[in-house]
Amino acid sequence: MEKLMTLTRQFRDDENGAAMVEYTILLGIITVAVIATVVLVGTWVSGKWTALYSAISGH
Protein backbone atom coordinates (compact mmCIF):
# COMPACT_ATOMS: atom_id res chain seq x y z
CA MET A 1 0.00 0.00 0.00
CA GLU A 2 2.86 2.36 0.84
CA LYS A 3 4.43 1.74 -2.57
CA LEU A 4 1.16 2.67 -4.26
CA MET A 5 0.93 5.91 -2.25
CA THR A 6 4.54 6.77 -3.15
CA LEU A 7 3.85 6.10 -6.81
CA THR A 8 0.71 8.26 -6.63
CA ARG A 9 2.64 11.14 -5.07
CA GLN A 10 5.37 10.88 -7.71
CA PHE A 11 2.77 10.88 -10.46
CA ARG A 12 1.05 13.93 -8.94
CA ASP A 13 4.31 15.86 -8.60
CA ASP A 14 5.62 14.90 -12.03
CA GLU A 15 4.89 17.55 -14.68
CA ASN A 16 4.61 14.88 -17.36
CA GLY A 17 1.77 13.34 -15.38
CA ALA A 18 0.00 16.70 -15.20
CA ALA A 19 0.44 17.21 -18.93
CA MET A 20 -0.95 13.74 -19.59
CA VAL A 21 -4.04 14.54 -17.51
CA GLU A 22 -4.53 17.80 -19.41
CA TYR A 23 -4.21 16.06 -22.76
CA THR A 24 -6.64 13.36 -21.63
CA ILE A 25 -9.22 15.99 -20.64
CA LEU A 26 -8.70 17.79 -23.95
CA LEU A 27 -9.12 14.51 -25.84
CA GLY A 28 -12.34 13.87 -23.95
CA ILE A 29 -13.72 17.30 -24.84
CA ILE A 30 -12.81 16.83 -28.51
CA THR A 31 -14.40 13.36 -28.51
CA VAL A 32 -17.66 14.71 -27.07
CA ALA A 33 -17.68 17.53 -29.65
CA VAL A 34 -17.14 15.09 -32.53
CA ILE A 35 -19.89 12.76 -31.31
CA ALA A 36 -22.31 15.68 -30.89
CA THR A 37 -21.50 16.93 -34.40
CA VAL A 38 -22.04 13.48 -35.93
CA VAL A 39 -25.39 13.14 -34.15
CA LEU A 40 -26.54 16.61 -35.23
CA VAL A 41 -25.47 16.13 -38.85
CA GLY A 42 -27.07 12.67 -38.89
CA THR A 43 -30.36 14.12 -37.65
CA TRP A 44 -30.21 16.89 -40.26
CA VAL A 45 -29.49 14.44 -43.09
CA SER A 46 -32.26 12.13 -41.91
CA GLY A 47 -34.69 15.04 -42.01
CA LYS A 48 -33.61 15.94 -45.54
CA TRP A 49 -34.06 12.35 -46.74
CA THR A 50 -37.50 12.20 -45.15
CA ALA A 51 -38.51 15.47 -46.83
CA LEU A 52 -37.18 14.24 -50.17
CA TYR A 53 -39.07 10.96 -49.84
CA SER A 54 -42.27 12.82 -48.98
CA ALA A 55 -41.84 15.15 -51.97
CA ILE A 56 -41.19 12.27 -54.39
CA SER A 57 -43.95 10.02 -53.12
CA GLY A 58 -46.53 12.85 -53.08
CA HIS A 59 -47.39 12.69 -49.38
Side-chain angles (χ1 to χ4, degrees):
M1 184 68 174
E2 184 64 34
K3 186 173 182 174
L4 178 62
M5 293 301 292
T6 303
L7 184 62
T8 305
R9 282 189 206 103
Q10 288 174 349
F11 182 73
R12 181 192 64 197
D13 295 337
D14 186 13
E15 290 185 20
N16 291 332
M20 185 173 65
V21 170
E22 291 169 0
Y23 285 128
T24 303
I25 292 170
L26 184 61
L27 181 62
I29 291 169
I30 291 171
T31 302
V32 168
V34 167
I35 290 171
T37 301
V38 167
V39 168
L40 290 174
V41 169
T43 303
W44 179 80
V45 168
S46 177
K48 293 296 181 182
W49 278 111
T50 303
L52 178 63
Y53 174 77
S54 295
I56 290 174
S57 65
H59 291 109

CSV table of all heavy atoms in Angstrom, one decimal:
chain,number,residue,atom,x,y,z
A,1,MET,N,0.8,-1.2,0.0
A,1,MET,CA,0.0,0.0,0.0
A,1,MET,C,0.9,1.3,0.0
A,1,MET,O,0.5,2.2,-0.7
A,1,MET,CB,-0.9,-0.1,1.2
A,1,MET,CG,-1.9,1.1,1.3
A,1,MET,SD,-3.1,0.9,-0.1
A,1,MET,CE,-4.2,2.2,0.3
A,2,GLU,N,2.0,1.2,0.8
A,2,GLU,CA,2.9,2.4,0.8
A,2,GLU,C,3.5,2.6,-0.5
A,2,GLU,O,3.7,3.8,-0.9
A,2,GLU,CB,3.9,2.1,1.9
A,2,GLU,CG,4.9,3.3,2.1
A,2,GLU,CD,4.2,4.5,2.7
A,2,GLU,OE1,3.2,4.3,3.5
A,2,GLU,OE2,4.6,5.6,2.3
A,3,LYS,N,3.8,1.6,-1.2
A,3,LYS,CA,4.4,1.7,-2.6
A,3,LYS,C,3.4,2.4,-3.5
A,3,LYS,O,3.8,3.3,-4.3
A,3,LYS,CB,4.9,0.4,-3.1
A,3,LYS,CG,5.6,0.5,-4.4
A,3,LYS,CD,6.2,-0.9,-4.8
A,3,LYS,CE,6.9,-0.7,-6.1
A,3,LYS,NZ,7.6,-1.9,-6.5
A,4,LEU,N,2.2,2.1,-3.4
A,4,LEU,CA,1.2,2.7,-4.3
A,4,LEU,C,1.0,4.2,-3.9
A,4,LEU,O,0.9,5.0,-4.8
A,4,LEU,CB,-0.2,2.0,-4.1
A,4,LEU,CG,-1.4,2.5,-4.8
A,4,LEU,CD1,-1.1,2.4,-6.3
A,4,LEU,CD2,-2.6,1.8,-4.5
A,5,MET,N,1.0,4.5,-2.6
A,5,MET,CA,0.9,5.9,-2.3
A,5,MET,C,2.1,6.7,-2.7
A,5,MET,O,2.0,7.8,-3.2
A,5,MET,CB,0.8,6.0,-0.7
A,5,MET,CG,-0.5,5.5,-0.2
A,5,MET,SD,-2.0,6.3,-0.9
A,5,MET,CE,-1.8,7.9,-0.2
A,6,THR,N,3.3,6.1,-2.7
A,6,THR,CA,4.5,6.8,-3.1
A,6,THR,C,4.5,7.0,-4.7
A,6,THR,O,4.8,8.1,-5.2
A,6,THR,CB,5.8,5.9,-2.8
A,6,THR,OG1,5.8,5.7,-1.4
A,6,THR,CG2,7.1,6.6,-3.3
A,7,LEU,N,4.0,6.0,-5.4
A,7,LEU,CA,3.8,6.1,-6.8
A,7,LEU,C,2.8,7.2,-7.2
A,7,LEU,O,3.0,8.0,-8.1
A,7,LEU,CB,3.4,4.7,-7.4
A,7,LEU,CG,3.3,4.6,-8.9
A,7,LEU,CD1,4.7,4.9,-9.5
A,7,LEU,CD2,2.8,3.3,-9.3
A,8,THR,N,1.7,7.2,-6.4
A,8,THR,CA,0.7,8.3,-6.6
A,8,THR,C,1.3,9.6,-6.4
A,8,THR,O,1.0,10.6,-7.2
A,8,THR,CB,-0.5,8.0,-5.7
A,8,THR,OG1,-1.0,6.7,-5.9
A,8,THR,CG2,-1.6,9.0,-6.0
A,9,ARG,N,2.0,9.8,-5.3
A,9,ARG,CA,2.6,11.1,-5.1
A,9,ARG,C,3.6,11.5,-6.2
A,9,ARG,O,3.7,12.7,-6.6
A,9,ARG,CB,3.3,11.1,-3.7
A,9,ARG,CG,2.4,11.2,-2.6
A,9,ARG,CD,3.2,11.4,-1.2
A,9,ARG,NE,2.3,10.9,-0.2
A,9,ARG,CZ,2.5,9.8,0.5
A,9,ARG,NH1,3.5,9.0,0.1
A,9,ARG,NH2,1.7,9.4,1.4
A,10,GLN,N,4.4,10.6,-6.6
A,10,GLN,CA,5.4,10.9,-7.7
A,10,GLN,C,4.6,11.3,-9.0
A,10,GLN,O,5.0,12.2,-9.7
A,10,GLN,CB,6.3,9.7,-8.0
A,10,GLN,CG,7.3,9.4,-6.9
A,10,GLN,CD,8.1,8.1,-7.1
A,10,GLN,OE1,7.7,7.3,-8.0
A,10,GLN,NE2,9.1,7.9,-6.4
A,11,PHE,N,3.6,10.6,-9.3
A,11,PHE,CA,2.8,10.9,-10.5
A,11,PHE,C,2.2,12.3,-10.3
A,11,PHE,O,2.1,13.0,-11.3
A,11,PHE,CB,1.7,9.8,-10.6
A,11,PHE,CG,0.8,10.0,-11.9
A,11,PHE,CD1,1.4,9.7,-13.1
A,11,PHE,CD2,-0.5,10.5,-11.8
A,11,PHE,CE1,0.6,9.9,-14.3
A,11,PHE,CE2,-1.2,10.7,-12.9
A,11,PHE,CZ,-0.7,10.4,-14.2
A,12,ARG,N,1.7,12.6,-9.2
A,12,ARG,CA,1.0,13.9,-8.9
A,12,ARG,C,2.1,15.0,-9.1
A,12,ARG,O,1.8,16.1,-9.7
A,12,ARG,CB,0.4,14.0,-7.5
A,12,ARG,CG,-0.2,15.3,-7.2
A,12,ARG,CD,-0.6,15.4,-5.8
A,12,ARG,NE,0.7,15.4,-5.0
A,12,ARG,CZ,0.8,15.2,-3.7
A,12,ARG,NH1,-0.3,14.9,-3.0
A,12,ARG,NH2,2.0,15.2,-3.1
A,13,ASP,N,3.3,14.8,-8.6
A,13,ASP,CA,4.3,15.9,-8.6
A,13,ASP,C,5.0,16.0,-9.9
A,13,ASP,O,5.7,17.0,-10.2
A,13,ASP,CB,5.3,15.6,-7.5
A,13,ASP,CG,4.7,15.8,-6.1
A,13,ASP,OD1,3.7,16.4,-6.0
A,13,ASP,OD2,5.2,15.2,-5.1
A,14,ASP,N,4.9,14.9,-10.7
A,14,ASP,CA,5.6,14.9,-12.0
A,14,ASP,C,4.9,15.8,-13.0
A,14,ASP,O,3.7,15.6,-13.2
A,14,ASP,CB,5.7,13.5,-12.5
A,14,ASP,CG,6.5,13.3,-13.8
A,14,ASP,OD1,7.2,14.3,-14.2
A,14,ASP,OD2,6.4,12.2,-14.4
A,15,GLU,N,5.5,16.7,-13.7
A,15,GLU,CA,4.9,17.6,-14.7
A,15,GLU,C,4.4,16.8,-15.9
A,15,GLU,O,3.4,17.2,-16.5
A,15,GLU,CB,5.8,18.7,-15.1
A,15,GLU,CG,6.1,19.7,-14.0
A,15,GLU,CD,7.0,20.8,-14.5
A,15,GLU,OE1,7.0,21.0,-15.7
A,15,GLU,OE2,7.6,21.5,-13.6
A,16,ASN,N,5.1,15.7,-16.2
A,16,ASN,CA,4.6,14.9,-17.4
A,16,ASN,C,3.3,14.3,-17.0
A,16,ASN,O,2.4,14.1,-17.9
A,16,ASN,CB,5.6,13.8,-17.7
A,16,ASN,CG,6.9,14.3,-18.3
A,16,ASN,OD1,6.9,15.4,-18.9
A,16,ASN,ND2,8.0,13.6,-18.0
A,17,GLY,N,3.1,13.9,-15.8
A,17,GLY,CA,1.8,13.3,-15.4
A,17,GLY,C,0.7,14.4,-15.5
A,17,GLY,O,-0.4,14.1,-15.9
A,18,ALA,N,1.0,15.6,-15.1
A,18,ALA,CA,0.0,16.7,-15.2
A,18,ALA,C,-0.3,17.0,-16.7
A,18,ALA,O,-1.5,17.2,-17.0
A,18,ALA,CB,0.5,18.0,-14.5
A,19,ALA,N,0.7,17.0,-17.5
A,19,ALA,CA,0.4,17.2,-18.9
A,19,ALA,C,-0.4,16.1,-19.5
A,19,ALA,O,-1.3,16.3,-20.3
A,19,ALA,CB,1.8,17.3,-19.7
A,20,MET,N,-0.2,14.9,-19.1
A,20,MET,CA,-1.0,13.7,-19.6
A,20,MET,C,-2.4,13.9,-19.2
A,20,MET,O,-3.3,13.6,-20.0
A,20,MET,CB,-0.4,12.4,-19.1
A,20,MET,CG,-1.1,11.2,-19.7
A,20,MET,SD,-0.3,9.6,-19.2
A,20,MET,CE,-0.6,9.6,-17.5
A,21,VAL,N,-2.7,14.3,-18.0
A,21,VAL,CA,-4.0,14.5,-17.5
A,21,VAL,C,-4.7,15.6,-18.3
A,21,VAL,O,-5.8,15.5,-18.8
A,21,VAL,CB,-4.1,14.9,-16.0
A,21,VAL,CG1,-5.5,15.3,-15.6
A,21,VAL,CG2,-3.6,13.7,-15.2
A,22,GLU,N,-4.0,16.7,-18.6
A,22,GLU,CA,-4.5,17.8,-19.4
A,22,GLU,C,-4.8,17.3,-20.8
A,22,GLU,O,-5.9,17.7,-21.4
A,22,GLU,CB,-3.5,19.0,-19.5
A,22,GLU,CG,-3.4,19.7,-18.1
A,22,GLU,CD,-2.2,20.6,-18.1
A,22,GLU,OE1,-1.5,20.8,-19.1
A,22,GLU,OE2,-2.0,21.3,-17.0
A,23,TYR,N,-4.0,16.6,-21.4
A,23,TYR,CA,-4.2,16.1,-22.8
A,23,TYR,C,-5.4,15.1,-22.8
A,23,TYR,O,-6.2,15.0,-23.7
A,23,TYR,CB,-3.0,15.4,-23.3
A,23,TYR,CG,-1.9,16.4,-23.8
A,23,TYR,CD1,-0.6,16.3,-23.3
A,23,TYR,CD2,-2.2,17.4,-24.6
A,23,TYR,CE1,0.4,17.2,-23.7
A,23,TYR,CE2,-1.3,18.3,-25.1
A,23,TYR,CZ,0.0,18.2,-24.6
A,23,TYR,OH,1.0,19.1,-25.0
A,24,THR,N,-5.5,14.3,-21.7
A,24,THR,CA,-6.6,13.4,-21.6
A,24,THR,C,-8.0,14.1,-21.5
A,24,THR,O,-8.9,13.7,-22.2
A,24,THR,CB,-6.5,12.4,-20.4
A,24,THR,OG1,-5.2,11.8,-20.5
A,24,THR,CG2,-7.6,11.4,-20.3
A,25,ILE,N,-8.0,15.2,-20.7
A,25,ILE,CA,-9.2,16.0,-20.6
A,25,ILE,C,-9.5,16.6,-22.0
A,25,ILE,O,-10.7,16.7,-22.4
A,25,ILE,CB,-9.1,17.0,-19.5
A,25,ILE,CG1,-9.0,16.4,-18.2
A,25,ILE,CG2,-10.2,18.1,-19.6
A,25,ILE,CD1,-8.7,17.3,-17.0
A,26,LEU,N,-8.5,17.2,-22.6
A,26,LEU,CA,-8.7,17.8,-24.0
A,26,LEU,C,-9.2,16.8,-25.0
A,26,LEU,O,-10.1,17.1,-25.7
A,26,LEU,CB,-7.4,18.4,-24.4
A,26,LEU,CG,-7.4,19.2,-25.8
A,26,LEU,CD1,-8.4,20.3,-25.7
A,26,LEU,CD2,-6.0,19.6,-26.1
A,27,LEU,N,-8.7,15.6,-24.9
A,27,LEU,CA,-9.1,14.5,-25.8
A,27,LEU,C,-10.6,14.2,-25.6
A,27,LEU,O,-11.4,13.9,-26.5
A,27,LEU,CB,-8.2,13.3,-25.7
A,27,LEU,CG,-8.6,12.1,-26.6
A,27,LEU,CD1,-8.4,12.5,-28.0
A,27,LEU,CD2,-7.7,10.9,-26.2
A,28,GLY,N,-11.0,14.1,-24.3
A,28,GLY,CA,-12.3,13.9,-23.9
A,28,GLY,C,-13.3,14.9,-24.5
A,28,GLY,O,-14.4,14.6,-25.0
A,29,ILE,N,-12.9,16.2,-24.3
A,29,ILE,CA,-13.7,17.3,-24.8
A,29,ILE,C,-13.9,17.2,-26.4
A,29,ILE,O,-15.0,17.4,-26.9
A,29,ILE,CB,-13.1,18.7,-24.4
A,29,ILE,CG1,-13.3,18.8,-22.9
A,29,ILE,CG2,-13.8,19.8,-25.1
A,29,ILE,CD1,-12.5,20.0,-22.3
A,30,ILE,N,-12.8,17.0,-27.1
A,30,ILE,CA,-12.8,16.8,-28.5
A,30,ILE,C,-13.7,15.7,-28.9
A,30,ILE,O,-14.5,15.8,-29.9
A,30,ILE,CB,-11.4,16.7,-29.1
A,30,ILE,CG1,-10.6,18.0,-28.9
A,30,ILE,CG2,-11.4,16.3,-30.5
A,30,ILE,CD1,-9.2,17.9,-29.2
A,31,THR,N,-13.6,14.5,-28.2
A,31,THR,CA,-14.4,13.4,-28.5
A,31,THR,C,-15.9,13.7,-28.4
A,31,THR,O,-16.7,13.3,-29.2
A,31,THR,CB,-14.0,12.2,-27.6
A,31,THR,OG1,-12.6,11.9,-27.8
A,31,THR,CG2,-14.8,11.0,-27.9
A,32,VAL,N,-16.3,14.3,-27.3
A,32,VAL,CA,-17.7,14.7,-27.1
A,32,VAL,C,-18.1,15.6,-28.2
A,32,VAL,O,-19.3,15.5,-28.7
A,32,VAL,CB,-17.9,15.4,-25.7
A,32,VAL,CG1,-19.2,16.0,-25.5
A,32,VAL,CG2,-17.6,14.3,-24.6
A,33,ALA,N,-17.3,16.6,-28.6
A,33,ALA,CA,-17.7,17.5,-29.6
A,33,ALA,C,-17.9,16.8,-31.0
A,33,ALA,O,-18.8,17.1,-31.7
A,33,ALA,CB,-16.6,18.6,-29.8
A,34,VAL,N,-17.0,15.9,-31.3
A,34,VAL,CA,-17.1,15.1,-32.5
A,34,VAL,C,-18.4,14.2,-32.5
A,34,VAL,O,-19.2,14.2,-33.5
A,34,VAL,CB,-15.9,14.2,-32.8
A,34,VAL,CG1,-16.1,13.2,-33.9
A,34,VAL,CG2,-14.7,15.1,-33.1
A,35,ILE,N,-18.7,13.6,-31.4
A,35,ILE,CA,-19.9,12.8,-31.3
A,35,ILE,C,-21.1,13.6,-31.4
A,35,ILE,O,-22.1,13.3,-32.2
A,35,ILE,CB,-19.9,12.0,-30.0
A,35,ILE,CG1,-18.8,10.9,-30.0
A,35,ILE,CG2,-21.3,11.3,-29.7
A,35,ILE,CD1,-18.6,10.2,-28.7
A,36,ALA,N,-21.2,14.8,-30.8
A,36,ALA,CA,-22.3,15.7,-30.9
A,36,ALA,C,-22.5,16.2,-32.3
A,36,ALA,O,-23.6,16.2,-32.8
A,36,ALA,CB,-22.1,16.9,-29.9
A,37,THR,N,-21.4,16.5,-33.0
A,37,THR,CA,-21.5,16.9,-34.4
A,37,THR,C,-22.0,15.8,-35.3
A,37,THR,O,-22.9,16.1,-36.1
A,37,THR,CB,-20.1,17.4,-34.9
A,37,THR,OG1,-19.6,18.4,-34.0
A,37,THR,CG2,-20.2,17.9,-36.3
A,38,VAL,N,-21.6,14.6,-35.1
A,38,VAL,CA,-22.0,13.5,-35.9
A,38,VAL,C,-23.5,13.2,-35.7
A,38,VAL,O,-24.3,13.0,-36.7
A,38,VAL,CB,-21.2,12.2,-35.6
A,38,VAL,CG1,-21.9,11.0,-36.2
A,38,VAL,CG2,-19.8,12.4,-36.1
A,39,VAL,N,-24.0,13.3,-34.5
A,39,VAL,CA,-25.4,13.1,-34.2
A,39,VAL,C,-26.2,14.2,-34.8
A,39,VAL,O,-27.3,14.0,-35.4
A,39,VAL,CB,-25.6,13.1,-32.6
A,39,VAL,CG1,-27.1,13.2,-32.3
A,39,VAL,CG2,-25.0,11.8,-32.1
A,40,LEU,N,-25.8,15.5,-34.7
A,40,LEU,CA,-26.5,16.6,-35.2
A,40,LEU,C,-26.6,16.5,-36.8
A,40,LEU,O,-27.7,16.7,-37.4
A,40,LEU,CB,-25.9,17.9,-34.8
A,40,LEU,CG,-26.1,18.3,-33.3
A,40,LEU,CD1,-25.4,19.5,-32.9
A,40,LEU,CD2,-27.6,18.4,-33.0
A,41,VAL,N,-25.5,16.2,-37.4
A,41,VAL,CA,-25.5,16.1,-38.9
A,41,VAL,C,-26.3,14.9,-39.3
A,41,VAL,O,-27.1,15.0,-40.3
A,41,VAL,CB,-24.0,16.0,-39.4
A,41,VAL,CG1,-24.0,15.6,-40.8
A,41,VAL,CG2,-23.3,17.3,-39.2
A,42,GLY,N,-26.3,13.8,-38.6
A,42,GLY,CA,-27.1,12.7,-38.9
A,42,GLY,C,-28.6,13.0,-38.8
A,42,GLY,O,-29.3,12.6,-39.7
A,43,THR,N,-29.0,13.7,-37.8
A,43,THR,CA,-30.4,14.1,-37.6
A,43,THR,C,-30.8,15.0,-38.8
A,43,THR,O,-31.9,14.9,-39.4
A,43,THR,CB,-30.6,14.8,-36.3
A,43,THR,OG1,-30.2,14.0,-35.2
A,43,THR,CG2,-32.0,15.2,-36.1
A,44,TRP,N,-29.9,16.0,-39.2
A,44,TRP,CA,-30.2,16.9,-40.3
A,44,TRP,C,-30.4,16.1,-41.6
A,44,TRP,O,-31.3,16.4,-42.3
A,44,TRP,CB,-29.1,17.9,-40.4
A,44,TRP,CG,-29.3,18.9,-41.5
A,44,TRP,CD1,-30.1,20.0,-41.5
A,44,TRP,CD2,-28.7,18.9,-42.7
A,44,TRP,NE1,-30.0,20.7,-42.7
A,44,TRP,CE2,-29.1,20.0,-43.5
A,44,TRP,CE3,-27.7,18.1,-43.3
A,44,TRP,CZ2,-28.7,20.3,-44.7
A,44,TRP,CZ3,-27.3,18.3,-44.6
A,44,TRP,CH2,-27.8,19.4,-45.3
A,45,VAL,N,-29.4,15.2,-41.9
A,45,VAL,CA,-29.5,14.4,-43.1
A,45,VAL,C,-30.7,13.6,-43.1
A,45,VAL,O,-31.4,13.4,-44.1
A,45,VAL,CB,-28.2,13.6,-43.3
A,45,VAL,CG1,-28.3,12.6,-44.4
A,45,VAL,CG2,-27.0,14.5,-43.5
A,46,SER,N,-31.1,13.0,-42.0
A,46,SER,CA,-32.3,12.1,-41.9
A,46,SER,C,-33.5,12.9,-42.2
A,46,SER,O,-34.4,12.5,-43.0
A,46,SER,CB,-32.4,11.5,-40.5
A,46,SER,OG,-33.6,10.8,-40.4
A,47,GLY,N,-33.6,14.2,-41.7
A,47,GLY,CA,-34.7,15.0,-42.0
A,47,GLY,C,-34.8,15.4,-43.5
A,47,GLY,O,-35.9,15.4,-44.1
A,48,LYS,N,-33.6,15.6,-44.1
A,48,LYS,CA,-33.6,15.9,-45.5
A,48,LYS,C,-34.1,14.7,-46.4
A,48,LYS,O,-34.8,14.9,-47.3
A,48,LYS,CB,-32.2,16.4,-46.0
A,48,LYS,CG,-31.7,17.7,-45.4
A,48,LYS,CD,-32.6,18.8,-45.8
A,48,LYS,CE,-32.1,20.1,-45.2
A,48,LYS,NZ,-33.0,21.2,-45.6
A,49,TRP,N,-33.6,13.5,-46.0
A,49,TRP,CA,-34.1,12.3,-46.7
A,49,TRP,C,-35.6,12.1,-46.6
A,49,TRP,O,-36.2,11.8,-47.5
A,49,TRP,CB,-33.3,11.1,-46.3
A,49,TRP,CG,-31.9,11.0,-46.9
A,49,TRP,CD1,-30.7,11.1,-46.3
A,49,TRP,CD2,-31.7,10.7,-48.3
A,49,TRP,NE1,-29.7,10.9,-47.2
A,49,TRP,CE2,-30.3,10.6,-48.4
A,49,TRP,CE3,-32.5,10.4,-49.4
A,49,TRP,CZ2,-29.6,10.4,-49.6
A,49,TRP,CZ3,-31.8,10.1,-50.6
A,49,TRP,CH2,-30.5,10.1,-50.7
A,50,THR,N,-36.1,12.4,-45.4
A,50,THR,CA,-37.5,12.2,-45.1
A,50,THR,C,-38.3,13.2,-46.0
A,50,THR,O,-39.3,12.9,-46.6
A,50,THR,CB,-37.8,12.4,-43.7
A,50,THR,OG1,-37.1,11.4,-42.9
A,50,THR,CG2,-39.3,12.2,-43.4
A,51,ALA,N,-37.8,14.5,-46.0
A,51,ALA,CA,-38.5,15.5,-46.8
A,51,ALA,C,-38.4,15.1,-48.3
A,51,ALA,O,-39.4,15.3,-49.0
A,51,ALA,CB,-37.9,16.8,-46.6
A,52,LEU,N,-37.3,14.6,-48.8
A,52,LEU,CA,-37.2,14.2,-50.2
A,52,LEU,C,-38.1,13.1,-50.5
A,52,LEU,O,-38.8,13.1,-51.5
A,52,LEU,CB,-35.7,13.8,-50.5
A,52,LEU,CG,-35.4,13.4,-51.9
A,52,LEU,CD1,-35.7,14.5,-52.9
A,52,LEU,CD2,-34.0,12.9,-52.0
A,53,TYR,N,-38.2,12.1,-49.6
A,53,TYR,CA,-39.1,11.0,-49.8
A,53,TYR,C,-40.5,11.4,-49.9
A,53,TYR,O,-41.3,11.0,-50.8
A,53,TYR,CB,-38.9,9.9,-48.7
A,53,TYR,CG,-39.9,8.8,-48.8
A,53,TYR,CD1,-39.7,7.8,-49.8
A,53,TYR,CD2,-41.0,8.7,-48.0
A,53,TYR,CE1,-40.6,6.7,-49.9
A,53,TYR,CE2,-41.9,7.7,-48.1
A,53,TYR,CZ,-41.7,6.7,-49.0
A,53,TYR,OH,-42.6,5.7,-49.1
A,54,SER,N,-40.9,12.3,-49.0
A,54,SER,CA,-42.3,12.8,-49.0
A,54,SER,C,-42.6,13.6,-50.3
A,54,SER,O,-43.7,13.5,-50.8
A,54,SER,CB,-42.5,13.7,-47.8
A,54,SER,OG,-42.4,13.0,-46.6
A,55,ALA,N,-41.6,14.4,-50.8
A,55,ALA,CA,-41.8,15.1,-52.0
A,55,ALA,C,-42.0,14.2,-53.2
A,55,ALA,O,-42.8,14.5,-54.1
A,55,ALA,CB,-40.7,16.1,-52.2
A,56,ILE,N,-41.2,13.2,-53.2
A,56,ILE,CA,-41.2,12.3,-54.4
A,56,ILE,C,-42.4,11.4,-54.4
A,56,ILE,O,-43.1,11.2,-55.4
A,56,ILE,CB,-39.9,11.4,-54.4
A,56,ILE,CG1,-38.7,12.2,-54.7
A,56,ILE,CG2,-40.1,10.3,-55.4
A,56,ILE,CD1,-37.4,11.5,-54.6
A,57,SER,N,-42.8,10.9,-53.2
A,57,SER,CA,-44.0,10.0,-53.1
A,57,SER,C,-45.3,10.7,-53.1
A,57,SER,O,-46.3,10.1,-53.3
A,57,SER,CB,-43.9,9.1,-51.9
A,57,SER,OG,-44.0,9.9,-50.7
A,58,GLY,N,-45.3,12.1,-53.0
A,58,GLY,CA,-46.5,12.8,-53.1
A,58,GLY,C,-47.3,12.9,-51.8
A,58,GLY,O,-48.5,13.3,-51.8
A,59,HIS,N,-46.7,12.6,-50.7
A,59,HIS,CA,-47.4,12.7,-49.4
A,59,HIS,C,-47.2,14.0,-48.8
A,59,HIS,O,-46.4,14.6,-48.4
A,59,HIS,CB,-46.9,11.6,-48.4
A,59,HIS,CG,-47.3,10.2,-48.8
A,59,HIS,ND1,-46.4,9.3,-49.3
A,59,HIS,CD2,-48.5,9.6,-48.9
A,59,HIS,CE1,-47.0,8.2,-49.6
A,59,HIS,NE2,-48.3,8.4,-49.4
